[in-house]
Amino acid sequence: MEKAISAEQLQDFKHDLHTDSRHDVLRRAVSKNGILAASYDLPAVANDINWTFSIDLDTGKVSNQKQSGRCWMFAALNTMRHFMKDTFRVEPGFELSQNYTFFWDKLEKSNYFYENVLKTAELPTTDRKVAWLMETPQQDGGQWDMMVGIIEKYGVVPKSAMPETYNSSSSSEFNATLNLKLRKDAVTLRELVANHASDEEIAKTKKKMLTEVYRILTYSFGEPPTSFDFEYRDKDNNYHIDQNITPKEFFNKYIGWNLDDYVSVINAPTADKPYNHLYTVEMLGSVVGGRPIRHLNVDMDTFRKIAIKQLESGESVWFGSDVGKESDRKAGIMDTRLYNPDELFDVDFSMSKAERLDYGQSLMTHAMVLTGVDLVNGEPRKWKVENSWGDKVGEKGFFVMSDEWMDEYCYQVVVNKKFLPAELQKVFETEEPQVLAPWDPMGALA
């Protein structure tokens, strides 16, 4: 077996290329337009992808996360905003403050990072866990359970009480600054442990570090309100005011969900994660002592059915997917038939969902909200998706997702556990989760 590419092999490669009479046409098309545009096949999906759904929730206007990675946060707050719209008849453009939860998430993630640094301080920096921590001390992304931890501790506020700033809407400068500080602080904390510093000295040092993080956050995002007045007019133009209300009081009064009822359900068909069992991810979280990450892995048929049940009840569904795969952002289409690179290059690119997860080809990258589904003879054909990329993409910010695309690239839904079969509800109540490695794809942050 030859290991190096030989001159004879190069001749064979060229001969293979020129046996296809279309190669010059294809070369020109691909080199001029790019691979995606040259393999784009909208007619293949045009008959099936339209904007009519048998279940179509009215959720108001879409939001815009702009140049930030807060999709998971926007999606969670959007589901709560939908509830407020239906219950209190707030205007369609009403939003909860994503900047408020962003502030607390960054503070809590900083503390979570410090605690993980201390836990791993006796390991060398070449250890995989330490290297994983230092690669990205914190980022904008997150998961549902992390959002629950923030809301349970700090509540929520309307956008008017803590509006966006430059840094919340465009977070790259902020993240670079905070990660610089966290890595520098990691050096200090590891040195304290190496020098056998007392717990009191380490706690004092960590408090100083968090004080500095709080200052950076306040200059960047503003200081979160401890109380505020909530004024609004409902759809009938009736005026309402709620004075001097705290963020936790606001959540309890205007949303009032028992967040323990909402659980994360995943579809990860890999050999290391048998279905109908619970999983968690080591070193993944934000609020120390807050709600732990817990995922129930189920087959795709169950995954679909519980999402449909929640939509049928009139409630939208938070979900996580690999949105960049086989999708057209501008048109708002997610369909596995949209591009055909296999035919373009005469190469088989197919991989199973499990193979893509195991070999790093796919993982959850983005969270959105299911707001509708098209059921034909009781079976889902396509899904309506509320994104958080503003109203200039898709259909006024909404996307359409084929059921086949959901099969291949959707990894997580969050549903009220009452929609789970009784035997799966029992798993949540009784089973201790299996701990996955920090770098497991199910630990990916949307």
Side-chain angles (χ1 to χ4, degrees), residues 88-91 231-240:
F88 296 96
R89 299 177 58 78
V90 296
E91 287 298 319
E231 278 185 292
Y232 72 98
R233 286 189 180 273
D234 62 29
K235 281 187 176 181
D236 297 323
N237 205 35
N238 296 312
Y239 173 76
H240 304 265

Side-chain angles (χ1 to χ4, degrees), residues 343-357:
E343 182 179 355
L344 178 66
F345 292 111
D346 192 22
V347 172
D348 181 5
F349 290 105
S350 61
M351 297 178 74
S352 69
K353 190 174 188 178
E355 288 169 341
R356 287 192 293 268
L357 287 170

Side-chain angles (χ1 to χ4, degrees), residues 13-31:
F13 300 159
K14 290 182 180 180
H15 175 74
D16 176 79
L17 175 67
H18 289 277
T19 57
D20 189 341
S21 61
R22 306 170 302 159
H23 81 272
D24 279 333
V25 174
L26 294 174
R27 174 183 54 78
R28 290 194 293 267
V30 175
S31 61

